[in-house]
Amino acid sequence: MGMLEAEALTFSYDAGPILKNLSVSIPEGKITVFIGGNGCGKSTLLRSMARLLQPDQGTVLLDGEDISRLKTKEVAKKMSILPQGSSAPEGLTVEQLVRQGRYPHQSWLKQWSPEDETMVQQALNATSMKERGSQPVDALSGGQRQRAWIAMTLAQGSDTLLLDEPTTYLDMAHQVEVLDLLYDLNNKEGRTIVMVLHDMNMACRYAHRLVAMQNQTIYAEGRPEDIMKEGLVRDVFQMNCRIAPDPLFGTPMVIPHGKGRKNHVAFSAASAE
């Protein structure tokens, strides 16, 4: 049993069902990645588990309690979410954004405290954003902007982070930068990380557990080494491929079939260095 679970979730828009009687358990202290084709329900599942969407049927449990019956601030102290395409008001600085993460801990009786300030500064340090605290968020690069938003979720002080496509629109260097940061938060601090990713190779490299979705439900879940097979890629993504070990990490690497220029000179990781 995980600390965050979905039981028999069903969710529909006007165009039809997005989730169908879906159940999944998130292991505590691990990195879990949702993968699947466009429209399979990955983001809807993540948003439902974060209580941003109300399912038609089913239950989301947080530490064994129905999340719909918990107070918003109570949920926010345990779990934070970074939705896709988050944007800050014009002129808002990095530090002002990160301070917003302390909102769940504020009340009429408990205003800004030394603990709040400590959490903000720790979040800025953890994301290497302290020196940019006075800069406007909208003036940052894509990778820096994602770091600022992640810092806000860290300042929230929750043990579980949900991120919807945190590497979208980032170049490869910034993708690795953001994913390395999340890896460190899990590896060094034991944070539970749940992400939606499109890049299957990055998902295999960073995830302890993959959840592959197809036709609005779970197709397969488990360790990348156990479930990332050519048949899964063919069924879930309608794409033929070859699976080979990542030359740097040994994790499954998806090599898609398709057209392209053939180079008959053998290539190796050693020759690329």
Side-chain angles (χ1 to χ4, degrees):
M1 178 180 292
M3 55 79 61
L4 181 61
E5 300 174 272
E7 294 184 347
L9 288 190
T10 295
F11 185 90
S12 300
Y13 288 118
D14 292 339
I18 303 298
L19 302 177
K20 296 179 183 177
N21 196 35
L22 185 152
S23 297
V24 67
S25 180
I26 303 300
E28 189 171 0
K30 302 294 183 182
I31 298 177
T32 298
V33 177
F34 298 161
I35 62 171
N38 292 336
C40 70
K42 304 183 300 294
S43 293
T44 300
L45 173 59
L46 191 81
R47 292 168 66 85
S48 296
M49 298 187 83
R51 210 175 68 169
L52 296 181
L53 295 174
Q54 178 63 42
D56 302 329
Q57 297 177 18
T59 306
V60 175
L61 299 176
L62 180 60
D63 288 336
E65 298 187 70
D66 186 341
I67 198 172
S68 67
R69 298 179 181 177
L70 298 176
K71 294 181 179 179
T72 298
K73 285 190 174 182
E74 186 177 352
V75 173
K77 289 177 182 179
K78 295 182 177 182
M79 181 172 64
S80 54
I81 182 167
L82 180 56
Q84 184 181 167
S86 299
S87 60
E90 184 176 357
L92 190 75
T93 68
V94 170
E95 185 162 342
Q96 288 171 333
L97 174 67
V98 177
R99 283 172 173 261
Q100 299 300 311
R102 298 304 295 167
Y103 167 75
H105 303 272
Q106 306 298 302
S107 69
W108 289 108
L109 298 176
K110 185 180 183 298
Q111 299 298 311
W112 195 262
S113 69
E115 179 187 1
D116 294 320
E117 189 63 34
T118 296
M119 292 295 291
V120 168
Q121 297 307 317
Q122 287 179 347
L124 288 168
N125 284 327
T127 54
S128 301
M129 294 300 292
K130 188 173 180 63
E131 293 184 358
R132 302 186 182 276
S134 61
Q135 294 184 12
V137 176
D138 52 13
L140 302 175
S141 69
Q144 292 167 347
R145 195 175 302 122
Q146 284 293 70
R147 281 181 172 270
W149 281 100
I150 292 171
M152 187 195 74
T153 65
L154 291 182
Q156 196 169 316
S158 57
D159 291 329
T160 300
L161 279 66
L162 280 65
L163 305 103
D164 191 0
E165 300 185 26
T167 59
T168 298
Y169 307 126
L170 299 182
D171 61 35
M172 184 174 291
H174 285 123
Q175 288 181 39
V176 172
E177 175 186 328
V178 168
L179 292 172
D180 279 354
L181 168 61
L182 295 171
Y183 175 85
D184 286 341
L185 291 173
N186 168 261
N187 189 48
K188 297 177 181 179
E189 300 183 14
R191 306 260 186 161
T192 301
I193 308 289
V194 188
M195 293 186 281
V196 172
L197 290 179
H198 278 296
D199 190 316
M200 287 182 283
N201 293 331
M202 289 298 186
C204 288
R205 178 178 291 188
Y206 288 91
H208 297 104
R209 188 172 187 83
L210 290 181
V211 177
M213 297 181 62
Q214 182 198 35
N215 295 331
Q216 296 78 48
T217 192
I218 304 297
Y219 174 91
E221 56 182 313
R223 298 191 314 152
E225 296 84 351
D226 295 334
I227 72 165
M228 185 55 74
K229 308 294 183 184
E230 294 173 8
L232 180 146
V233 176
R234 183 174 58 251
D235 293 344
V236 171
F237 295 94
Q238 289 76 57
M239 182 179 72
N240 292 319
C241 74
R242 178 177 297 177
I243 304 293
D246 184 309
L248 294 180
F249 292 86
T251 51
M253 183 175 66
V254 178
I255 305 171
H257 289 189
K259 297 180 180 179
R261 184 180 63 85
K262 288 187 177 181
N263 184 349
H264 295 287
V265 177
F267 178 83
S268 68
S271 64
E273 294 177 353

